[in-house]
Amino acid sequence: MSDGTTAAPARWLPFAVLGIGLTAISFGAVLARLAQAEGVSSLAVATWRLGLAAIIITPVALMQSHRDLARLSGRQMLMAVAAGFFLALHFATWISSLEYTSVASSTALVTTNPLWIGIASFVLFRERPSLMMVGGIALSLAGSLFIFWSDSQTAGVGSNPMLGNMLALVGSWCFSAYLLIGRRLRAGLGLSAYIWLAYGAAGLFLLGASGIGGVSLFAHSNVAWLVLLGMALGPQLLGHTSYNWSLRYVSATFIAVVTLGEPVGSALLAFIVFGEGFAPLQFVGFSLLLAGIYLAARGER
């Protein structure tokens, strides 16, 4: 889990890593649904996804990044805590949304990050995206809207689609804040140190929320534990860590655009596992998403 800080990686490598991360992260919604089907509450799913990931990465972080951690400034610590706070809110709201709406709608809305990050980057940091990046954002968001619109026309997509969609949208805002903070913090902090601090802080916030809410964290079936471990190893450690590694080499806006491919993978998996079918407008949306990601990749400076 080295950063490769002694030399810049090949230009194609961050894009390849993001592709691997996107594939892993697409399993997140399906695994969360499987855990919920085993009786694990949404807050417990989020708590164990971040908590197990932080525990697993602890020895790596202590071996690789003990110097970074020893030199940690107060400002860096506050930023890591803030990143963990927004990451905790992201997972708490998004995983909860899967109880009320379809996988396609939830993942389409939670991955609208480019809109919010693009606005925030311009307002806060005066970062001007290229025209190709703007075009990629527009196409990707149009694809998300097609998926959402198609799903809203289908009966029986969830017990409370409006609530689920709102929770997914809040999750998108929180993930946008997490990416923006991480972009600044990763510039001066090693990967293993950063993800250990961010995942650990998020896990602690979720643990506290579970305690306050009286959520059961341990009375789960063996199948549920395997699913939770799979979420920590796959979507979290492999998926989100790929995004975090790439933050040093590409913009937070571009990473947010890449995450828009998640609805494609998640919807395909939901069709295989849960039988959630596709509508013609969904295929239009998926095509626009992929075209937008490609255009944004071409426009990434």
Side-chain angles (χ1 to χ4, degrees):
M1 193 173 291
S2 174
D3 266 316
T5 55
T6 57
R11 178 173 172 76
W12 57 266
L13 185 58
F15 299 97
V17 170
L18 285 171
I20 294 170
L22 177 61
T23 302
I25 219 165
S26 295
F27 283 85
V30 170
L31 290 173
R33 275 277 189 88
L34 291 174
Q36 289 166 344
E38 288 292 316
V40 185
S41 72
S42 296
L43 194 54
V45 173
T47 300
W48 282 117
R49 172 170 174 160
L50 273 301
L52 286 173
I55 291 170
I56 293 169
I57 201 65
T58 294
V60 178
L62 294 179
M63 285 188 295
Q64 281 193 353
S65 302
H66 58 277
R67 290 187 179 86
D68 280 345
L69 294 170
R71 294 194 303 263
L72 204 65
S73 68
R75 181 174 179 274
Q76 286 177 314
M77 179 62 76
L78 286 175
M79 290 178 69
V81 170
F85 174 74
F86 284 112
L87 186 61
L89 280 180
H90 161 71
F91 281 116
T93 53
W94 171 61
I95 291 176
S96 296
S97 77
L98 293 167
E99 295 184 40
Y100 305 107
T101 192
S102 71
V103 169
S105 280
S106 176
T107 52
L109 285 172
V110 82
T111 52
T112 53
N113 308 295
L115 176 61
W116 322 118
I117 288 181
I119 293 172
S121 295
F122 175 74
V123 172
L124 298 177
F125 310 123
R126 300 302 178 189
E127 294 180 356
R128 294 182 180 275
S130 67
L131 288 178
M132 291 187 74
M133 176 69 80
V134 172
I137 290 173
L139 280 177
S140 299
L141 288 175
S144 294
L145 289 175
F146 268 101
I147 295 170
F148 177 53
W149 182 23
S150 172
D151 194 61
S152 68
Q153 305 301 310
T154 305
V157 297
S159 60
N160 192 339
M162 184 64 70
L163 174 60
N165 293 339
M166 192 63 221
L167 287 169
L169 191 58
V170 172
S172 177
W173 297 339
C174 294
F175 193 65
S176 299
Y178 166 70
L179 282 179
L180 286 169
I181 295 170
R183 173 67 170 173
R184 290 300 189 257
L185 186 55
R186 275 285 287 127
L189 195 63
L191 175 63
S192 58
Y194 170 67
I195 63 173
W196 183 64
L197 290 169
Y199 296 176
L204 289 174
F205 278 121
L206 290 166
L207 182 63
S210 297
I212 294 172
V215 173
S216 174
L217 292 176
F218 297 98
H220 307 316
S221 67
N222 291 334
V223 172
W225 282 116
L226 287 175
V227 172
L228 293 172
L229 180 61
M231 290 188 73
L233 291 173
Q236 193 59 42
L237 282 177
L238 181 57
H240 274 261
T241 300
S242 297
Y243 290 172
N244 287 319
W245 179 85
S246 300
L247 276 172
R248 177 164 286 188
Y249 308 107
V250 298
S251 70
T253 304
F254 175 67
I255 291 178
V257 174
V258 171
T259 66
L260 286 170
E262 184 182 347
V264 180
S266 296
L268 287 171
L269 290 168
F271 171 73
I272 294 170
V273 178
F274 304 119
E276 288 189 3
F278 300 98
L281 283 177
Q282 281 182 311
F283 283 108
V284 174
F286 293 159
S287 299
L288 289 173
L289 277 171
L290 294 174
I293 291 172
Y294 174 76
L295 190 62
R298 294 292 304 271
E300 172 63 18
R301 295 188 181 97

